[in-house]
């Protein structure tokens, strides 16, 4: 059984098992780094971490076209349903659910969550996936928080961490996050999409691999890792 994890730039990932496609934070339209268009994407589930436009992105359009189930917090679910998306599954922070493809638990994130039209988007979250014996922690948009240590205690195979600074953790705090989580592998995200989050991911990778046992994989948009 293969697990393919493809980065579509910013915070957007496609996680594929042999028969299920999970799309996270599909910001493609208006994203200068997106390697694919929203209308080229297939998904069975779409996970939305928080209400900001660079994360909700094309969720409504892709969900309507593909019939994907949208997983998010209760407040975002209400808003998504109001846009005409029929298949939604609300969860909330600290809660996990067993889907046919595996489990996902919503984790805390230190951020905001207002929706694009100003609607209340509840609290932002990250995602801890348990799929085919692997654990993937997608931190989504967040500042550094010490409870990342608790997430790391679960034994994280792959951590997906923002390094862009300005809106989220920057390189220094993301390095501290790696030390708290202790993942086997790390992928840096949420950089270079906009001028204010320009970073050098390779320089960050060198620092992380010098100071921790974690392996850093710097992807180009559209590239993937197999777990
Ligand atoms: Ni955000
Ligand atoms: Mn963001």
């Amino acid at each position: 059984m293969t697990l393919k994890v493809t980065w579509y730039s910013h915070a957007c990932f496609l996680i594929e098992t042999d028969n299920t496609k999970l799309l996270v934070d599909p910001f493609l339209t208006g994203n200068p780094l997106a390697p694919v268009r929203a209308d080229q994407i297939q998904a069975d589930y779409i996970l939305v971490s928080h209400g900001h436009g660079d994360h909700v992105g094309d969720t409504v359009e892709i969900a309507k076209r593909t019939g994907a189930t949208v997983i998010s917090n209760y407040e975002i679910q209400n808003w998504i349903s109001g846009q005409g998306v029929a298949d939604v599954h609300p969860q909330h922070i600290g809660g996990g659910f067993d889907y046919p493809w595996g489990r996902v638990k919503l984790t805390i994130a230190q951020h905001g969550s207002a929706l694009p039209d100003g609607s209340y988007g509840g609290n932002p979250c990250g995602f801890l996936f348990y799929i085919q014996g692997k654990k993937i922690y997608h931190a989504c948009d967040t500042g550094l928080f010490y409870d990342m240590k608790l997430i790391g205690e679960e034994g994280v195979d792959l951590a997906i961490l923002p390094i862009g600074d300005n809106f989220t953790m920057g390189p220094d705090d993301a390095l501290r996050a790696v030390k708290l989580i202790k993942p086997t592998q790390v992928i840096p995200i949420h950089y270079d999409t906009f001028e204010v989050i320009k970073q050098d991911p390779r320089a960050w990778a060198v620092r992380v691999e010098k100071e921790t046992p974690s392996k850093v994989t710097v992807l180009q948009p559209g590239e993937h890792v197999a777990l």
Side-chain angles (χ1 to χ4, degrees), residues 150-216:
L150 291 174
I151 296 167
E153 282 173 7
E154 301 217 21
V156 174
D157 297 287
L158 170 63
I160 296 169
L161 302 177
I163 65 160
D165 217 348
N166 194 73
F167 299 116
T168 67
M169 293 190 287
D172 292 349
D173 280 353
L175 171 56
R176 296 169 73 194
V178 173
K179 290 176 181 177
L180 291 171
I181 301 163
K182 299 181 167 59
T184 307
Q185 184 177 182
V186 192
I187 296 175
I189 62 158
H190 212 277
Y191 61 89
D192 285 3
T193 327
F194 314 117
E195 194 59 37
V196 292
I197 58 172
K198 284 257 185 249
Q199 295 296 341
D200 181 345
R202 285 187 182 74
W204 185 75
V206 169
R207 289 177 67 196
V208 172
E209 292 189 346
K210 189 173 161 205
E211 294 188 35
T212 81
S214 299
K215 172 181 181 283
V216 181

Side-chain angles (χ1 to χ4, degrees), residues 50 52 54-55 111-112 141 167-168 190:
H50 65 290
H52 294 163
D54 59 321
H55 296 261
H111 198 63
D141 281 11
F167 299 116
T168 67
H190 212 277

Side-chain angles (χ1 to χ4, degrees), residues 7-62:
W7 187 46
Y8 284 145
S9 79
H10 210 55
C12 182
F13 275 85
L14 186 68
I15 301 172
E16 294 171 90
T17 69
D18 288 339
N19 50 25
T20 307
K21 295 180 192 299
L22 314 173
L23 183 65
V24 183
D25 285 357
F27 171 49
L28 301 167
T29 302
N31 173 352
L33 300 183
V36 290
R37 295 194 317 269
D39 63 9
Q40 296 174 309
I41 293 279
Q42 291 301 322
D44 300 297
Y45 292 82
I46 303 173
L47 297 101
V48 181
S49 67
H50 65 290
H52 294 163
D54 59 321
H55 296 261
V56 173
D58 300 292
T59 296
V60 171
E61 184 217 307
I62 296 170

Side-chain angles (χ1 to χ4, degrees), residues 108-112 124-125 139 141-146 167-168:
I108 61 169
Q110 301 288 7
H111 198 63
C125 74
D141 281 11
T142 187
L144 179 68
F145 56 92
Y146 199 73
F167 299 116
T168 67

